[in-house]
Amino acid sequence: MASNQQTRPGIGALAKDTASGRIGVVMGAVGGRVQIRPIGGGREWDAVPDNVQTLSAREELSARLAIRNGNSRDRL
């Protein structure tokens, strides 16, 4: 039986903050919060660990394509 802790993305992984709907790169965790940075760079935001999920295959493909195309400004 897999726990939620095992399914959370690790540092450097793409992840979705389900509370805001934003996708970014997991940078670390401090004070019970997960720090996530937008894909295109910028200011990190804090997310509640229970709201941070691994991307579906479709979401990850879309995010990586946006990075490659340079279209990662909006909501990514």
Side-chain angles (χ1 to χ4, degrees), residues 4-26:
N4 192 25
Q5 188 76 349
Q6 292 172 331
T7 61
R8 288 195 186 129
I11 293 174
L14 288 173
K16 182 175 186 176
D17 177 359
T18 59
S20 67
R22 295 169 68 187
I23 294 174
V25 180
V26 175

Side-chain angles (χ1 to χ4, degrees), residues 2 6-7 10-11 16 25 32 34 43 45 51-53 57 67 76:
Q6 292 172 331
T7 61
I11 293 174
K16 182 175 186 176
V25 180
V34 177
R43 190 171 183 184
W45 75 91
N51 294 338
V52 178
Q53 294 182 346
I67 293 167
L76 292 180

Side-chain angles (χ1 to χ4, degrees), residues 28-35 46-50:
V30 175
R33 300 288 181 149
V34 177
Q35 284 75 46
D46 290 340
V48 175
D50 288 342

